[in-house]
Amino acid sequence: MKFVVAVDGSAESERAVDHAVGMAAAAGGTLTVVHSVDPDVYDTGGTEPVSGLSDAEGRLIIESVEDAEERGERLLADAADRAAEAGVEADAELLYGNPVETIPEFAAEEGYDGVFVGHRGLSDEHERVLGSVAKGLVERSSVPVTVVRESGSATGDR
């Protein structure tokens, strides 16, 4: 069996990696660790003066695309190394675009048997405002998605 596990550097994605490694080991399967860099998130939004708070939020740069790629590569290497240390064959893929779109597309196109993702367990109010990658993956994926929640337990959401 072939599994995908999404990483973003959070404690929840670390737990998802641990769970995915355990499942891949039990199934005699392989694991591909993925991280998606969304270049649109790092867009400066123009050079005109900021006209208000909402305009400023649209231009906020947390890190450059190059920094995001480097961070993503580090996350991928660390997770793949952890899998290899546990005796699970693992590789890594840096994807580009919105993770809610790129991860399910990658999993379907490459013929994976399942996706693992961490979830912070935000309140309904926060999730409406911030969205949820885990929820988006469950809704868009054509392959089964296992969501590893904040408490460390896994739930098969699809």
Side-chain angles (χ1 to χ4, degrees), residues 1-5 31 107 111-116 141 143-146:
M1 297 196 80
K2 296 180 1 177
F3 299 110
V4 171
V5 60
L31 191 61
Y112 284 90
D113 299 300
V115 176
F116 293 87
S141 182
V143 301
V145 176
T146 300

Side-chain angles (χ1 to χ4, degrees), residues 2 4 32 34 93 95-96 101-115 140-144:
K2 296 180 1 177
V4 171
T32 298
V34 298
E93 285 286 332
L95 307 175
Y96 289 88
E101 297 169 2
T102 60
I103 294 169
E105 287 172 8
F106 174 79
E109 289 172 5
E110 299 297 322
Y112 284 90
D113 299 300
V115 176
R140 291 181 183 247
S141 182
S142 61
V143 301

